[in-house]
Amino acid sequence: MTLRALIFDVDGTLAETEEAHRAAFNRAFAEAGLDWHWTRDMYRDLLNTTGGVERMGAYRATLGTEVPSDATLRDIHRAKTAIYGEMLAGGAVTLRPGVRDLIDGARARGVPCAVATTTSRPNVDALTQSAWGVPATGIFDVIATGEEVAAKKPAPDLFQLALSRLDLPADQAIAFEDSLNGLRSAQGAGLRVVVTPDFYTEHQDHSTADWLVNSLMPADLPDDLAHLLGVNAPIEMPS
């Protein structure tokens, strides 16, 4: 079979964004007069809940309160998204090793690249604007974000949506993830999965991934994956 698309998660996969997200949340909490402050260890656990509003709701539940209201949490999240965008515009985040060359090389060979992420569309645009100098549509042929599906990761909905927009079956694409929830989501959609853990996900069990690698740098890729993602087109799927 021919590999016809690459589908990427965003946060933690394209870039080590979680520290910037955590800082943006804490700034938004302070600006809202809320006495919440998330440490790195707290945020690592909170990332088990996908989606920013949902994550704040999960944290509120651990406090045994219904305050702030759901509407206020949505307002705080909008403020957080704006803060995060400002941080990226200021150069707070860079792409992970190997990501730029992999995506630019695939695009040059006519292999479509897609995004399947629980984060919001403005966050995707902020990252591509910072890294490539263009909005997400200038880099990715298909973009599927958390606002567009009923169930976020680990449900398969986002990857299914991306495959539908690519008009491809799962066996003609590969997913790139960094987390266990993302791995389960991609596998639920029938995709082969490359996992590159980061600080916030390295403690998770990614043993069911098709490929588990330290980075997307060529030197870190096993031979079969390097061949699959090589420069020759068409790229042949291993049998």
Side-chain angles (χ1 to χ4, degrees), residues 8 16 25 36 68 86 98 103 120 168 206 220:
F8 294 88
E16 296 268 14
F25 272 116
W36 293 2
E86 292 170 2
I103 292 175
S120 66
L168 290 175
H206 304 119
D220 285 334

Side-chain angles (χ1 to χ4, degrees), residues 3-6 103 105-114 141 230 232-235:
L3 176 60
R4 299 189 183 279
L6 310 180
I103 292 175
R107 295 176 64 230
R109 300 192 305 278
V111 179
C113 293
D141 300 270
N232 295 325
I235 307 172

